[in-house]
Amino acid sequence: MSDERLPPGQYVPPHRPALHYGPVPRFRPDRWDFRVYGHTESPGGARWTWPEFDALPRIDSVSDFHCVTRFTFRDVRWSGVRAESIAEHTPPAPDATHVMVWAEYGYSANLRLDDFLRPDVLLATHRAGERLTPEHGYPVRLVVPHLYGWKSVKWVRAIEYLTADRRGFWEERGYHNRGDPWREERYSYQEEPGQGPPLI
């Protein structure tokens, strides 16, 4: 029987693995900050310390999480800061079209600006009512429910506004530039002309 909530090729697993590339970073609250920079409307961008970021207004959101490796977690309850709120505080310049999301160890993922600014996109600090665990992205991870899970970057440290698209870590290594699970946009060989910058 078909399940209308599952994108093509996805299944609901009995367990919930935590997948990531590389080691889990150590959180040092006295050194941690979150920055917005690049093509901002006003020069200088913005920076929050951990106490400042943790004090920002949070909202709750429930969404399904679709991993490119084909499993889907249903009804994940997140709490965090809306991406829209960050953009309202530090607006992108009028010619900005994309963002690069930066994380610990230089990990990155690119998003169209309109994907980043959807109302359900969060910089999450909590999952299922509890602080994120280190393996799930503590202290902050991006949650982009309408795209595959690699776009929901763990251990986020910065948002860079871009005036042209640029591939992130996995997009440079063969993943699709956008990653829409309902279109099964898993790999770069599936891209149509104009769906992403050339692979080097």
Side-chain angles (χ1 to χ4, degrees), residues 17-52:
L19 304 179
H20 51 266
Y21 178 85
V24 174
R26 180 182 174 189
F27 175 52
R28 297 176 173 87
D30 57 324
R31 302 182 191 178
W32 189 94
D33 64 1
F34 179 84
R35 295 189 301 133
V36 178
Y37 69 102
H39 291 270
T40 56
E41 189 173 77
S42 300
R47 175 184 176 271
W48 289 264
T49 65
W50 171 242
E52 291 168 340

Side-chain angles (χ1 to χ4, degrees), residues 72-91:
T72 288
F73 299 151
R74 285 179 162 158
D75 299 321
V76 184
R77 183 160 56 95
W78 304 99
S79 178
V81 180
R82 284 189 193 273
E84 281 183 321
S85 298
I86 296 296
E88 287 169 2
H89 180 279
T90 310

